[in-house]
């Protein structure tokens, strides 16, 4: 199963993003496929925070439009939402230790742990920091399409 990181969701949503067309094609292909794909809940939270933030985008996405975008993704029948469970800490702890994670990288470790805990083998992301979280395979699908 492939999971999608926040940056691809943002690029797919924002028509002013440099990789908008490529990211939109990636997300659309996943959403329209019958194969299971995943979005970690924290990535949806972060998506909303980023696209509606006035210091990041001028103009920012209106809150209603951002909510509608999230709901459109949630309508994909093959989407699996990744959330913490009792198995989360046992998945997160070794990632924190092995990668010597501190500060803002804790968020990335959390996403990686969610993926691993739910059996996700591949995370589509444009963030190279995920390479430190083996055995999760971080792949930038925009590079092969650019």
């Amino acid at each position: 199963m492939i999971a999608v990181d926040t940056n691809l969701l943002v690029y797919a949503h924002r028509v002013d993003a440099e990789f908008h067309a490529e990211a939109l094609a990636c997300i659309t292909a996943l959403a329209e496929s019958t194969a299971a794909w995943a979005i970690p809940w924290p990535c949806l939270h972060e998506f909303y925070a980023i696209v509606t933030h006035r210091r990041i985008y001028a103009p920012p996405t209106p809150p209603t439009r951002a909510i509608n975008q999230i709901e459109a993704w949630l309508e994909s029948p093959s989407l699996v939402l990744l959330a913490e469970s009792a198995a989360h800490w046992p998945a997160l702890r070794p990632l924190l230790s092995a990668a010597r994670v501190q500060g803002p990288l804790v968020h990335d470790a959390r996403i990686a742990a969610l993926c691993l805990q739910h059996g996700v083998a591949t995370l589509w992301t444009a963030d190279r920091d995920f390479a430190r979280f083996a055995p999760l395979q971080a792949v930038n699908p925009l590079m092969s399409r650019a």
Side-chain angles (χ1 to χ4, degrees):
M1 179 168 28
I2 294 170
V4 179
D5 189 22
T6 307
N7 48 43
L8 291 182
L9 298 174
V10 171
Y11 298 158
H13 171 73
R14 293 288 305 195
V15 295
D16 55 351
E18 180 180 359
F19 296 105
H20 170 70
E22 296 88 345
L24 181 61
C26 288
I27 302 298
T28 300
L30 290 172
E32 292 179 352
S33 171
T34 57
W37 65 294
I39 301 176
W41 270 111
C43 293
L44 287 175
H45 303 158
E46 188 179 34
F47 163 81
Y48 183 86
I50 289 170
V51 300
T52 61
H53 198 295
R54 294 184 187 284
R55 290 188 188 158
I56 297 174
Y57 287 106
T61 299
T64 302
R65 187 163 166 244
I67 288 169
N68 289 342
Q69 178 62 79
I70 291 169
E71 289 178 345
W73 289 323
L74 295 178
E75 289 177 6
S76 171
S78 55
L79 176 64
V80 176
L81 295 168
L82 308 182
E84 286 96 346
S85 70
H88 186 67
W89 181 246
L92 177 60
R93 187 181 186 289
L95 296 179
L96 296 174
S97 298
R100 297 184 176 156
V101 171
Q102 296 176 322
L105 286 177
V106 171
H107 175 75
D108 291 349
R110 180 182 179 203
I111 301 304
L114 280 169
C115 290
L116 294 170
Q117 145 189 7
H118 289 278
V120 171
T122 304
L123 175 68
W124 279 2
T125 183
D127 184 344
R128 287 185 236 151
D129 286 330
F130 282 97
R132 70 181 66 223
F133 302 119
L136 182 64
Q137 181 183 19
V139 173
N140 185 343
L142 305 178
M143 296 306 291
S144 61
R145 294 176 180 256

